[in-house]
Amino acid sequence: MKVMKFGGTSVGKPERMHQVAQLITKGNEPVITVLSALSGTTNALVEISSHLAEGNKEEARACIQKLEAHYQAFILSLLRQPNFLDKAKAIVAEHFEFLNIITRISFSDALNKDILAQGELMSTRLFSVYLEEQGIDHVLLPALEFMRIDANEEPNLPAIRTKLAALLQQHTDKKLFITQGYICKNARGEVDNLKRGGSDYTASLIAAAVNAGVCEIWTDIDGMHNNDPRVVNKTIAIEQLSFDEAAELAYFGAKILHPTCIWPAQQQNVPVKLLNTMEPSAKGTTIMHEAGSVGVKAIAAKDGIIAIKIRSSRMLLAYGFLRKVFEVFEKYKTSIDMITTSEVAVSVTIDQPTFLDEIIRELEPFGVVEIDKEQTIISIVGNQIAETKEVLKKLFDAIHDIPVRMVSYGGSRHNISLLVPSAYKKETLQLLNKGLFGLE
Ligand code: ADP
Ligand code: ASP
Ligand code: MG
């Protein structure tokens, strides 16, 4: 079994969907195809939801109308035969009727999740109609019947495995399965999702659940690049990464992968391939157990970071001090990304501001609390990086003019993290691209 996931841009135009159909029918191996919503759709659904949350029903209706027009035009180029086009029109009408009905009832978090699910539900149903028109035998597997998260919003892999196996068991004669990325059901049995970009996570969870031979993530770029191509001009694709390296890059901002999507594949040792739908013959990146080489592989940046410093000359070295600090973050379910300590202060970073005021209030009895917002974590990721000759020298030479707020190395052997004010992110990424990779 092989898993093939196609992101928003890979299904965002009718001709791309046609190409996806070709890619998934090439080999003889059974395939589970995971589709995202058409590009732009989830953003539009988020916008609709926030208008409704604010009580702006007219704005919400205008967004719904615009999105519906997009889908009506999309299916006209997707399909040729009138009976299949009628089928697709009925699907589009059904989903937009649902969205229009929702504007009339009172808004809730559960409703918000229902709205966000419409993108993947539509993309897969429309793709299925296209496959039918082409006479391609397949089964549409509803993700809501097997993708589960628990009360802590973490994927429940054993439940996913059991439910998916039972569904596949009903179709032992079939070789092609289509399912939705991103969407799932939560512990309360409501529709939920795996957070933005979550279709990658779906693919990796499915790959782990069925113990697939490979999990292919098809997107709009030829693999993981050495630096953020949205910020830096000259970047190059990386051939091979270890699971740990890929997980660090994803977590620290390489948008090509959902932040936590690597662990399921890693747990089952399923190789992950990052491939380009627009250039299917390009080599891409293979993520596997072995790192392949030592030294720096790539740099990623994660914005929206808040640094919290607690200064306390009296208590810092006291037994149990750090535990008390960590308990405050635990109480507010806020995870810490970076941590550095000195004799008089401890600094940590968080990316979740929801309970910042409460956290500050509870930390204040321990010492003087200082907050720096709008910070960016720059992560330099590779295999045994600090042991690799010259890396630290090149790194610090490259950024000698940048006001670095924190430095962290040693948590893993794959990552050196720097915290810089977000205003310096672009410059830092460019300087490191030159200093560490010789690319300008
Ligand atoms: P999809 O819709 O297929 O899930 P995404 O937009 O989520 O695609 O991810 C692909 C994008 O990730 C690329 O177009 C690129 O701009 C961005 N990206 C950010 N950092 C990296 C990186 N280090 N390597 C490759 N792409 C990256
Ligand atoms: N459609 C969802 C999003 O845009 C999930 C995904 O594309 O991975 O976040
Ligand atoms: Mg994505």
Side-chain angles (χ1 to χ4, degrees), residues 275-440:
L275 296 158
N276 189 351
T277 313
M278 284 31 127
E279 204 192 330
S281 58
K283 220 171 187 174
T285 301
T286 302
I287 302 165
M288 57 204 285
H289 185 68
E290 295 80 23
S293 59
V294 294
V296 176
K297 297 257 184 77
I299 306 165
K302 183 172 169 180
D303 294 321
I305 304 295
I306 301 164
I308 304 171
K309 186 194 282 177
I310 307 134
R311 264 191 303 122
S312 169
S313 48
R314 260 184 321 113
M315 290 174 73
L316 192 73
L317 294 175
Y319 180 72
F321 177 78
L322 284 179
R323 178 179 53 77
K324 285 190 212 145
V325 168
F326 288 151
E327 271 171 1
V328 173
F329 291 90
E330 189 183 352
K331 179 171 169 192
Y332 292 102
K333 290 193 171 175
T334 301
S335 64
I336 293 171
D337 284 330
M338 277 175 83
I339 169 157
T340 54
T341 59
S342 77
E343 266 177 47
V344 290
V346 51
S347 277
V348 301
T349 69
I350 59 170
D351 63 359
Q352 174 56 267
T354 319
F355 298 109
L356 183 60
D357 291 343
E358 289 85 344
I359 290 172
I360 295 173
R361 206 178 48 235
E362 295 209 21
L363 288 175
E364 267 162 356
F366 303 148
V368 179
V369 180
E370 288 169 27
I371 305 295
D372 285 314
K373 293 188 180 169
E374 288 177 41
Q375 304 288 305
T376 294
I377 295 178
I378 310 269
S379 283
I380 296 100
V381 173
N383 185 20
Q384 300 175 16
I385 25 179
E387 293 98 312
T388 310
K389 234 178 142 201
E390 298 269 283
V391 167
L392 288 181
K393 181 180 181 309
K394 283 186 190 165
L395 196 162
F396 288 109
D397 277 352
I399 55 163
H400 61 87
D401 280 339
I402 303 289
V404 177
R405 165 80 174 71
M406 282 165 75
V407 180
S408 164
Y409 172 71
S412 84
R413 286 156 67 101
H414 321 289
N415 181 336
I416 299 175
S417 288
L418 312 171
L419 188 73
V420 302
S422 300
Y424 288 89
K425 164 182 156 176
K426 186 169 182 183
E427 193 182 344
T428 310
L429 288 180
Q430 281 169 334
L431 289 169
L432 290 171
N433 214 39
K434 187 168 176 224
L436 293 173
F437 299 99
L439 297 168
E440 286 188 75

Side-chain angles (χ1 to χ4, degrees), residues 82-226:
N83 51 334
F84 290 103
L85 189 56
D86 284 348
K87 217 169 166 172
K89 278 182 184 160
I91 292 169
V92 171
E94 186 188 318
H95 286 273
F96 282 94
E97 193 190 335
F98 171 79
L99 287 173
N100 278 309
I101 288 172
I102 271 184
T103 64
R104 283 179 237 132
I105 54 183
S106 61
F107 187 77
S108 65
D109 189 45
L111 210 57
N112 172 41
K113 303 283 175 58
D114 273 319
I115 294 172
L116 298 182
Q118 299 309 305
E120 273 70 12
L121 290 170
M122 278 197 285
S123 66
T124 47
R125 288 182 78 185
L126 296 176
F127 185 60
S128 173
V129 175
Y130 173 67
L131 292 180
E132 263 184 64
E133 189 189 59
Q134 297 300 304
I136 300 171
D137 193 23
H138 68 283
V139 178
L140 192 54
L141 292 176
L144 297 179
E145 286 184 21
F146 66 88
M147 198 47 75
R148 291 286 177 275
I149 52 173
D150 62 20
N152 292 321
E153 303 194 339
E154 293 296 332
N156 181 345
L157 189 52
I160 296 166
R161 187 175 282 130
T162 314
K163 286 177 191 295
L164 182 56
L167 279 176
L168 292 172
Q169 195 58 40
Q170 293 170 20
H171 305 284
T172 46
D173 55 329
K174 303 286 182 187
K175 280 178 53 187
L176 182 59
F177 301 91
I178 314 298
T179 194
Q180 299 85 19
Y182 180 57
I183 61 172
C184 62
K185 281 206 173 161
N186 61 29
R188 295 181 296 279
E190 301 157 347
V191 173
D192 211 316
N193 61 62
L194 301 173
K195 313 257 159 57
R196 294 303 308 271
S199 300
D200 302 330
Y201 211 0
T202 303
S204 173
L205 287 162
I206 292 178
V210 302
N211 210 355
V214 61
C215 176
E216 295 181 350
I217 309 272
W218 290 80
T219 182
D220 59 359
I221 188 163
D222 58 343
M224 179 74 79
H225 278 221
N226 72 304

Side-chain angles (χ1 to χ4, degrees), residues 5 7-9 219-221 223-225 227-230 254-256:
K5 176 258 165 175
T9 38
T219 182
D220 59 359
I221 188 163
M224 179 74 79
H225 278 221
N227 205 332
D228 194 326
R230 295 165 301 176
K255 193 202 168 217
I256 186 168

